[in-house]
Amino acid sequence: MAHLIVVGNEKGGAGKSTVSVHVATALARMGHAVGVLDLDLRQKTFGRYIHNRHVHMAEAGLDLPTPNYHELPEMAQGDVTDPEGMLRDALASLEPANTFILIDCPGSHTPLSQAAHAMADTLITPLNDSFIDFDLLAHTDTSGDTITGPSVYSEMVWQARQMRARNGLKPIDWIVLRNRLGTQQMVNKLKMENAVLHLSKRIGFRVAPGFSERVVFRELFTRGLTLLDLRDAGVRQLNMSNVAARQELRDLIKALNLPGVTVNF
């Protein structure tokens, strides 16, 4: 069976689609067959990315390694009557031809997202380096130093883990990414680091470095490109920001520790 990677949380603006696009494309460029589902049935940011990529390749005469995007029907989330069945049908169509399947979840709780979490082999949760986003994982006291209890999202992941255990499946490998880290050792950054590390031991996830805030992530969207495509797209000399961003992606792929993946870019 394909290894299922789910990128999810229940908050918008944390960089889920950016992480999804770069992880899926990195795996494709390393020679792995990667299928993709976008569970945001209206906005479909990942789907738009792949559309832009195909258009740009046709216009520029390029042939870039590209994930296999599976289009789900456009509808309101409330109109999905059988989310688990819909997801299993989509996975069944992708599994025969793909080693990995990545699911990009919307930034809110939906029945489709909940079903995807229950099926995940690897769960990636991007998190902005802020206690506003930390509240997605756990609640704290007013000082931010003491965790008072898990959030509804953490409870959902716990339930997904329990379901997998009952079905005799391997545990979910849950990785939390700290995105948009500041470059300075500010008090809030240190408090966030301590809080995330403490919570990781308490509820069982791994912490990995995410992406810094970089303009390049946004400006490549219209062409459907990633950092790894720049040289193929004619950029011969990468600037320091691009080099640093490639290293961040390299560190992320290594931290995911996916089966059969050796980082070679």
Side-chain angles (χ1 to χ4, degrees), residues 41-105:
L41 301 182
R42 296 195 60 175
Q43 188 168 342
K44 298 184 180 180
T45 300
F46 200 115
R48 290 295 304 165
Y49 212 107
I50 294 297
H51 170 78
N52 293 346
R53 187 176 183 86
H54 284 296
V55 170
H56 179 68
M57 285 194 296
E59 292 176 346
L62 297 174
D63 183 16
L64 303 174
T66 300
N68 306 311
Y69 177 70
H70 180 87
E71 183 80 19
L72 292 172
E74 184 173 339
M75 64 175 72
Q77 293 283 355
D79 293 337
V80 180
T81 56
D82 181 14
E84 187 172 339
M86 179 179 177
L87 193 54
R88 289 196 181 279
D89 287 346
L91 292 174
S93 68
L94 284 170
E95 274 195 319
N98 294 286
T99 307
F100 295 96
I101 298 175
L102 185 143
I103 299 179
D104 186 13
C105 293

Side-chain angles (χ1 to χ4, degrees), residues 6-7 10 13 17 23 27 43 48 62 70 117 121 134 169 179 195 215 218 228 265:
V6 173
V7 182
E10 293 182 4
S17 292
V23 169
L27 290 172
Q43 188 168 342
R48 290 295 304 165
L62 297 174
H70 180 87
H117 279 68
D121 297 305
F134 184 80
L169 301 174
N179 265 347
V215 175
R218 296 188 294 272
L228 302 182
F265 60 86

Side-chain angles (χ1 to χ4, degrees), residues 78-142:
D79 293 337
V80 180
T81 56
D82 181 14
E84 187 172 339
M86 179 179 177
L87 193 54
R88 289 196 181 279
D89 287 346
L91 292 174
S93 68
L94 284 170
E95 274 195 319
N98 294 286
T99 307
F100 295 96
I101 298 175
L102 185 143
I103 299 179
D104 186 13
C105 293
S108 61
H109 176 79
T110 69
L112 268 175
S113 179
Q114 184 171 357
H117 279 68
M119 298 177 186
D121 297 305
T122 297
L123 172 61
I124 305 172
T125 300
L127 192 73
N128 288 327
D129 206 46
S130 159
F131 276 100
I132 295 175
D133 276 29
F134 184 80
D135 197 63
L136 170 81
L137 298 178
H139 305 308
T140 67
D141 64 3
T142 54

